Amino acid sequence: MKLISSQPNQANAELLLLAAIWGASFMFMRVGSPEFGPIVFTTLRTGIAAIFLIICLVLFKETKALKGRWRDVFVVGALNTAIPFALFSFATLTLTAGTASVLNATAPMFGAIVAYIWLKDKLSLSAMFGLVIGFIGVYLLVSDNLNIGIELTDKSLENHVLLPTLAAMLAALCYGVAANYTKKHLSTIKPLALAAGSQIAATTMLLPLSLFFIPETLPSVNAMWSVLLIGVICTGVAYILFFRLIAQLGPAKAISVTYLIPAFGILWGALFLGETISLMMLIGGSVTLLGVALTTGVLQRK
């Protein structure tokens, strides 16, 4: 086996920073989603990110980049933002931040499956082997006692990790579909404009729905900080940093951040939320990431 070649120190540092930021998003969902509710939390997240990115569009004079492309942007906004963000917010009501971050890492694996079915991309024997390994890893991850050390917001969910796990996997599938849809229909749009457009579209779709889920009690200060930070830092700033990495390293290498996110998701969950890191969780997560790496070609046979 051989790994992709190492990148310059600055790019590696930025890659680690982005992984740390995106890994923290699962911690913020664990804090804010129970109090705001998944729909309202996601609406606030995308709304805050949209405002931040609109300001960036104005500063970089890219406000006209989306003209005539809003139909496709709304599709990407639904598949890449509104639906998966809401699903992960729901999943983190039960799953730990670390577990959710590992399940999020299966997105490239689903992207490869969608590309094979829809875009007729080739799927090598190594990639197919990786798919099998990846799903075995997910099974190991879910088979572990995920509720150890977790105080669930809804005790009725205590023995039912299957539904939130499926929600997280569906979110990862949405990311995979969105990536291929973007490649097919929106590859000519500048990334910053597409990011801002997707957040605007997601907020537009979620806002009417969120009016039916307004929390009865005022969320805590910690929950308010979590939605603010996930909107500005983990969504707005993270997109800009990701686009910078794409420019420096290219999209194929920039996406390798996916393999680093679970490490930070598990770390932040343990440090700040007191989540338990079990041996089976580490084994399942490692097997899942191995499968994803084989599927996407990050690991290749000589």
Side-chain angles (χ1 to χ4, degrees), residues 275-287:
E275 295 179 350
T276 300
I277 303 176
S278 67
L279 177 61
M280 184 57 73
M281 181 180 181
L282 294 176
I283 294 173
S286 299
V287 173

Side-chain angles (χ1 to χ4, degrees), residues 163-175:
L163 183 59
T165 299
L166 290 176
M169 297 291 284
L170 179 58
L173 174 60
C174 286
Y175 286 140

Side-chain angles (χ1 to χ4, degrees), residues 41-63:
F41 184 82
T42 302
T43 304
L44 291 172
R45 175 184 181 179
T46 59
I48 292 169
I51 293 170
F52 179 83
L53 290 168
I54 287 171
I55 294 172
C56 294
L57 277 182
V58 173
L59 291 176
F60 289 98
K61 299 179 180 180
E62 294 186 15
T63 53

Side-chain angles (χ1 to χ4, degrees), residues 6-247:
S6 60
Q7 305 303 326
N9 291 334
Q10 182 180 349
N12 284 335
E14 292 181 1
L15 202 67
L16 283 172
L17 176 61
L18 180 59
I21 290 173
W22 270 338
S25 66
F26 298 94
M27 174 184 68
F28 292 136
M29 281 187 275
R30 285 278 296 158
V31 174
S33 188
E35 296 191 41
F36 282 102
I39 300 298
V40 173
F41 184 82
T42 302
T43 304
L44 291 172
R45 175 184 181 179
T46 59
I48 292 169
I51 293 170
F52 179 83
L53 290 168
I54 287 171
I55 294 172
C56 294
L57 277 182
V58 173
L59 291 176
F60 289 98
K61 299 179 180 180
E62 294 186 15
T63 53
K64 297 181 180 180
L66 297 172
K67 187 177 180 180
R69 307 302 302 274
W70 279 104
R71 186 191 69 175
D72 290 330
V73 169
F74 264 79
V75 173
V76 172
L79 293 174
N80 198 61
T81 301
I83 297 174
F85 281 13
L87 288 171
F88 270 117
S89 293
F90 166 74
T92 51
L93 293 175
T94 306
L95 303 181
T96 65
T99 299
S101 66
V102 173
L103 294 175
N104 174 78
T106 62
M109 190 166 68
F110 282 110
I113 296 173
V114 173
Y116 173 74
I117 296 173
W118 183 18
L119 303 182
K120 308 303 179 184
D121 285 2
K122 292 183 179 180
L123 202 59
S124 66
L125 183 61
S126 178
M128 288 187 282
F129 183 57
L131 289 174
V132 175
I133 291 178
F135 285 115
I136 290 174
V138 171
Y139 171 77
L140 293 174
L141 192 68
V142 177
S143 67
D144 189 23
N145 185 4
L146 299 177
N147 297 323
I148 295 177
I150 305 173
E151 183 179 350
L152 296 178
T153 57
D154 184 353
K155 290 299 181 181
S156 66
L157 296 175
E158 187 168 0
N159 297 315
H160 299 280
V161 297
L162 180 60
L163 183 59
T165 299
L166 290 176
M169 297 291 284
L170 179 58
L173 174 60
C174 286
Y175 286 140
V177 175
N180 285 278
Y181 188 92
T182 301
K183 178 181 178 180
K184 186 175 179 67
H185 298 285
L186 293 168
S187 59
T188 59
I189 294 182
K190 292 184 178 181
L192 178 58
L194 181 57
S198 65
Q199 299 304 311
I200 294 169
T203 305
T204 303
M205 288 182 277
L206 288 167
L207 187 58
L209 182 61
S210 69
L211 298 178
F212 295 96
F213 297 95
I214 296 176
E216 296 180 359
T217 58
L218 185 67
S220 67
V221 174
N222 285 341
M224 291 181 182
W225 271 111
S226 71
V227 76
L228 179 64
L229 291 172
I230 200 174
V232 175
I233 305 297
C234 299
T235 310
V237 173
Y239 266 120
I240 295 175
L241 187 58
F242 185 55
F243 300 149
R244 176 180 169 86
L245 285 170
I246 289 175

